[in-house]
Amino acid sequence: MADVILVLNAGSSSIKFSAFDMQSETLGLIMRGQIEGLLSAPRFVAFDGHGHQTGDKDWGAGHLEHEEAVAYIGEFLRSHREGNRVVAIGHRVVHGGQAFSQPVAATPAVLDELEKLIPLAPLHQPHNLKPIRVIAARDPDMPQVACFDTAFHATQPALASTFALPAALTEQGVRRYGFHGLSYEYIARTLPDVAPDAAKGRTVVAHLGNGASLCAMAAGRSVASTMGFTALDGLPMGTRSGNLDPGVILYLLDALKMDTRGVEDLLYRHSGLLGVSGISGDMRTLLASDDPRAAFAIDLYAYRIGRELGSLAAALQGLDALVFTAGIGEHSAEIRRRACEQARWCGVEIDSSANESGGPCISTASSKVAVWVIPTNEELMIARHTRDVAGIA
Ligand code: ADP
């Protein structure tokens, strides 16, 4: 029987999970997987720590409640290897608001506070919190820890986090929070070993996945980021617009008579790479396409990275290092090349063969900015926090 920390990342239609070995100091990954299609055609798949498939199950067309999905994952874990005993559960929670700038034990009082933040992240927060309630009801003694995507950015100065809106609104919490914080925190903790100069210097980390943002770090602390009040701001993403003149929203509401749900759907699900190309929000599909609309969407994506990078370099008053991470950042040499081309003006020069082979260092010896590719690991970051907060060792 092995003690494990279970990490859950629950969305509206999927629950991703990872299990980490408490016996190993470094929290080795022993299993990961997901149930996707919760609302339409639920399907479970699991892999061991070496990537070999260890389980799958298909429920056919239909609906699976979060409660049943969480119970299935728990049962699968218990019945595998020589039996795994879950000793604590860490949850990815997108929004910690102004109150939570650290991971926290998810007590009923904390959950009440976190539920108040649902309007700030309506598409993520309710689904992140649901499994915590479900598990607390079934097993009230199970230590559960909430880890926030916003927390890493709590170090940003007021100048970076304040919108030019009336101060009363700022006081109510209408301000920039920043997201992807668990990914940035993992990179910040990894940099001292991989790239000590980047860890000490002025570094921009580009988290380019389905969601995408950039974070400016000074000596490993967040000082600015492209995401703001919601995870809609900043770079264009798979299906999200990124930043927009707020006047566009007024136009959609007034002149085009769209309602707020329609605008939400447009900006979160039908914009970004998908909206611009009209083909797909998936970068691999666009890179493989010879349609000029795919090429334009990619050009716009790289151009916007260049623009936002310039803004963050200004916030840092210079740039010593640039780090690429997440699905596109880790795997697409072409997008890294294009993004770096946009940053040639500030002395970024990449070595194309190092870039093609994935780094980790992909800049030339003479580049003024060191460029790195570092795989992120948000789940491991959550597992570490969970072990610390739950006080188990
Ligand atoms: P999420 O934000 O959902 O965790 P990921 O970090 O896995 O997503 O990133 C998904 C994105 O990464 C998709 O656009 C996918 O096409 C892209 N991607 C993954 N591998 C490659 C690759 N080899 N080349 C280009 N894009 C890739």
Side-chain angles (χ1 to χ4, degrees), residues 14-19 31-38 41-48 51-59 64 69 72-73 76-77 80:
S14 73
I15 299 183
K16 294 184 182 151
F17 73 94
S18 314
M31 200 181 288
R32 67 176 179 83
Q34 62 178 336
I35 301 186
E36 56 184 5
L38 287 176
R43 177 151 189 270
F44 169 84
V45 62
F47 303 88
D48 67 16
H52 302 125
Q53 192 166 330
T54 50
D56 67 334
K57 179 175 164 71
D58 209 324
W59 281 264
L64 193 68
Y72 186 82
I73 291 167
F76 186 85
L77 266 177
H80 271 72

Side-chain angles (χ1 to χ4, degrees), residues 285-317:
T285 307
L286 296 183
L287 285 167
S289 167
D290 52 15
D291 190 311
R293 295 172 306 161
F296 182 72
I298 295 170
D299 286 347
L300 182 61
Y301 187 80
Y303 170 80
R304 295 284 316 143
I305 293 173
R307 290 267 304 255
E308 296 289 340
L309 180 67
S311 161
L312 294 189
L316 286 166
Q317 291 289 293

Side-chain angles (χ1 to χ4, degrees), residues 156 176-180 211-214 225-235 237 240:
Q156 288 184 10
R176 303 177 65 85
Y177 291 91
F179 297 86
H180 291 134
S213 68
L214 307 181
S225 73
T226 58
M227 274 185 174
F229 180 60
T230 66
L232 203 50
D233 201 5
L235 301 176
M237 304 171 222
R240 288 176 243 163

Side-chain angles (χ1 to χ4, degrees), residues 144-378:
Q144 297 198 78
V145 176
C147 301
F148 305 105
D149 268 316
T150 48
F152 182 71
H153 302 292
T155 50
Q156 288 184 10
L159 278 179
S161 65
T162 305
F163 291 121
L165 285 171
L169 276 171
T170 308
E171 277 151 31
Q172 282 173 38
V174 183
R175 42 159 285 209
R176 303 177 65 85
Y177 291 91
F179 297 86
H180 291 134
L182 292 157
S183 172
Y184 293 129
E185 187 180 8
Y186 177 82
I187 299 292
R189 300 265 177 104
T190 303
L191 281 177
D193 294 328
V194 179
D197 290 342
K200 287 185 242 146
R202 297 162 298 181
T203 296
V204 168
V205 182
H207 176 109
L208 307 177
N210 280 317
S213 68
L214 307 181
C215 176
M217 293 182 195
R221 288 157 67 90
S222 172
V223 295
S225 73
T226 58
M227 274 185 174
F229 180 60
T230 66
L232 203 50
D233 201 5
L235 301 176
M237 304 171 222
T239 63
R240 288 176 243 163
S241 62
N243 67 10
L244 205 63
D245 175 348
V248 172
I249 296 169
L250 300 177
Y251 177 81
L252 297 175
L253 294 170
D254 286 343
L256 301 191
K257 306 285 177 229
M258 290 178 75
D259 62 14
T260 43
R261 291 287 78 78
V263 173
E264 176 183 273
D265 202 39
L266 176 79
L267 299 182
Y268 276 95
R269 298 194 184 88
H270 300 285
S271 298
L273 293 172
L274 172 65
V276 175
S277 69
I279 297 170
S280 172
D282 191 293
M283 186 57 89
R284 267 171 303 198
T285 307
L286 296 183
L287 285 167
S289 167
D290 52 15
D291 190 311
R293 295 172 306 161
F296 182 72
I298 295 170
D299 286 347
L300 182 61
Y301 187 80
Y303 170 80
R304 295 284 316 143
I305 293 173
R307 290 267 304 255
E308 296 289 340
L309 180 67
S311 161
L312 294 189
L316 286 166
Q317 291 289 293
L319 188 63
D320 301 311
L322 171 62
V323 178
F324 287 98
T325 195
I328 298 171
E330 290 167 28
H331 302 296
S332 177
E334 175 66 7
I335 298 299
R336 290 194 299 262
R337 185 186 67 74
R338 302 251 198 135
C340 288
E341 225 167 63
Q342 298 288 330
R344 254 208 315 248
W345 65 271
C346 66
V348 169
E349 238 178 58
I350 57 167
D351 175 320
S352 43
S353 66
N355 183 39
E356 289 299 328
S357 60
C361 183
I362 62 168
S363 44
T364 60
S366 59
S367 178
K368 292 202 181 94
V369 178
V371 186
W372 296 88
V373 179
I374 301 179
T376 194
N377 197 337
E378 291 154 292

